[in-house]
Amino acid sequence: MEVNLEKIPFGIDFHPSNQLVSAALITGDIHLYRYAAALDSSPQKLLEVHAHEESCRAVRFINNGLAIVSASADCSILATDVETGTQITRLDNAHDDAIYTLINVTESTIASGDDAGCIKVWDTRQRTCCNTFEAHEDYVSDITFAADAMKLIGTSGDGTLSVCSLRRNKVQTCSEFSEEELTSVVLVKNGQKVVCGSQSGTLLLYSWGYFKDCSDRFVDLSPNSVDAILKLDEDRIITGSENGIISLVGILPNKIIQPIAEHSEYPVERLALSHDRKILGSISHDQTLKLWDLDEILQNTGDVQKTVGSDSDDDDDDDDDEMDVDANPPSSNKGSKTKSASKRNPLGSSTNFFADL
């Protein structure tokens, strides 16, 4: 099942409880679609909102799906009502640089990362920016949240992985520079392993608490850049590569279980799972949003709901707040960004963004 978006999409997110999916486009628009659970009919477009003057980089449902938050290269963050498509509130100076990524952290917080390497956390209850981390020297390509440790794990075009402590409000540690841009990140093995995609197609595995250098490398997806990673369960991830191939990959033991879909010949920009984990969504530079039946494409690899414990490992890592901290990381040559950026001057205060939510 596919939808012709007519423009290149940069972001995708599924509603937390209903059969709705949203896409963020290079034009600054947001699209909202309703899809059939069986994928037996074409998705119905419910909303088309011109949210930003420049490219819309990311989109997320918040407030139990009542609103959509979008982030843009024009440095703004917008909250839009899901039912009416009307603007709830806008923050024009959310970051000093173009925003690249946006994630849900908890039910009441989101995190955003920009082209200059800054990560911010927004509290929707207190209606303030509660954390700011100058984590990287280049764009923040992806962020994931380690809930048990209350830490954000970020990847960047500068080739580093960062660990930001929400409790301490500080960048706790940063990895050594790798030889290529890091493009995506997930936590697996019950939080004991961090998997990063890279521009070369190599997957870098870090052990929790030992972030200075990766503990393992998986090169079988090379030389195609792994631009999107999605956690399926504690032992398996789904990757999207620049050659358009979507693959199911096992972690420890590391292996390509099988290619499960081909979006197109263009790069896979993002991947997402529906609230019931039955539908996989992918977007690509071919200007389409595709919805895949996971039960069908994984029929030879096991149930999507499978949850398993971590494999035995040489590392016995705990979550130690006193982990190694790189106070003076080495300099790096900055990599190129894949999404057009634009820098704007701040226009107002960022403390009351969520006042109307």
Side-chain angles (χ1 to χ4, degrees):
M1 183 67 64
E2 70 177 64
V3 178
N4 182 7
L5 300 170
E6 299 181 353
K7 300 294 179 181
I8 294 175
F10 284 151
I12 179 176
D13 196 33
F14 283 91
H15 192 277
S17 59
N18 292 323
Q19 276 124 24
L20 301 175
V21 61
S22 182
L25 306 185
I26 193 173
T27 56
D29 292 352
I30 297 171
H31 288 189
L32 179 66
Y33 296 90
R34 182 181 299 279
Y35 61 91
L39 298 182
D40 53 2
S41 61
S42 298
Q44 174 190 4
K45 184 190 288 187
L46 302 180
L47 290 176
E48 181 174 346
V49 178
H50 186 63
H52 304 276
E53 292 305 314
E54 297 185 32
S55 61
C56 187
R57 299 281 192 77
V59 62
R60 288 290 184 269
F61 286 94
I62 63 167
N63 291 358
N64 296 315
L66 296 177
I68 298 172
V69 166
S70 55
S72 171
D74 64 14
C75 307
S76 69
I77 295 178
L78 173 71
T80 302
D81 185 273
V82 167
E83 290 193 4
T84 65
T86 57
Q87 174 179 310
I88 299 174
T89 189
R90 178 189 296 273
L91 179 62
D92 286 316
N93 65 326
H95 285 253
D96 292 334
D97 292 87
I99 303 172
Y100 194 93
T101 189
L102 181 73
I103 68 160
N104 295 100
V105 178
T106 66
E107 290 184 357
S108 59
T109 53
I110 59 175
S112 52
D114 68 27
D115 280 355
C118 178
I119 297 173
K120 292 188 177 185
V121 180
W122 305 90
D123 190 323
T124 58
R125 294 171 303 181
Q126 299 297 323
R127 302 168 182 176
T128 59
C129 174
C130 53
N131 301 90
T132 300
F133 305 101
E134 299 297 336
H136 297 281
E137 296 182 5
D138 205 339
Y139 73 102
V140 180
S141 57
D142 200 7
I143 309 170
T144 192
F145 178 54
D148 292 343
M150 288 298 291
K151 293 179 174 69
L152 294 176
I153 312 297
T155 52
S156 171
D158 65 11
T160 65
L161 175 144
S162 66
V163 181
C164 301
S165 173
L166 299 186
R167 293 192 181 105
R168 298 187 176 193
N169 195 26
K170 62 182 288 187
V171 180
Q172 192 142 8
T173 190
C174 193
S175 73
E176 296 178 354
F177 290 102
S178 59
E179 296 179 356
E180 62 265 334
E181 298 178 16
L182 300 185
T183 56
S184 45
V185 61
V186 292
L187 276 168
V188 295
K189 298 295 183 182
N190 298 309
Q192 293 304 302
K193 291 293 180 180
V194 180
V195 182
C196 300
S198 72
Q199 194 175 44
S200 69
T202 300
L203 296 181
L204 280 66
L205 277 66
Y206 293 83
S207 296
W208 185 264
Y210 302 91
F211 297 105
K212 288 298 182 181
D213 196 7
C214 63
S215 60
D216 199 2
R217 291 172 179 264
F218 179 62
V219 300
D220 288 9
L221 294 169
S222 300
N224 297 292
S225 175
V226 177
D227 296 326
I229 297 180
L230 195 61
K231 177 181 176 178
L232 182 61
D233 53 42
E234 297 301 332
D235 296 301
R236 299 179 298 173
I237 62 174
I238 299 173
T239 63
S241 299
E242 67 174 344
N243 61 355
I245 300 298
I246 301 171
S247 300
L248 183 65
V249 177
I251 300 298
L252 296 176
N254 302 328
K255 61 179 180 178
I256 298 177
I257 298 173
Q258 68 179 49
I260 57 175
E262 182 177 6
H263 186 108
S264 70
E265 61 184 8
Y266 295 97
V268 176
E269 185 70 32
R270 292 290 177 187
L271 299 168
L273 279 176
S274 62
H275 68 278
D276 56 6
R277 301 179 65 81
K278 294 182 180 297
I279 306 298
L280 171 68
S282 62
I283 54 174
S284 172
H285 293 187
D286 69 344
Q287 305 182 9
T288 64
L289 160 65
K290 293 190 177 182
L291 302 177
W292 312 86
D293 186 331
L294 269 181
D295 287 339
E296 180 180 336
I297 63 177
L298 296 179
Q299 60 184 338
N300 295 322
T301 61
D303 195 309
V304 69
Q305 299 286 5
K306 179 178 127 203
T307 303
V308 290
S310 61
D311 289 353
S312 59
D313 206 315
D314 290 337
D315 298 311
D316 185 16
D317 305 329
D318 344 65
D319 171 31
D320 185 358
D321 276 350
E322 298 298 330
M323 69 178 82
D324 49 350
V325 177
D326 189 2
N328 297 294
S331 59
S332 168
N333 293 326
K334 294 189 176 183
S336 60
K337 290 179 275 289
T338 60
K339 302 178 186 177
S340 59
S342 175
K343 195 170 182 179
R344 294 291 182 90
N345 293 324
L347 299 176
S349 171
S350 65
T351 59
N352 62 347
F353 170 45
F354 296 105
D356 296 324
L357 291 186

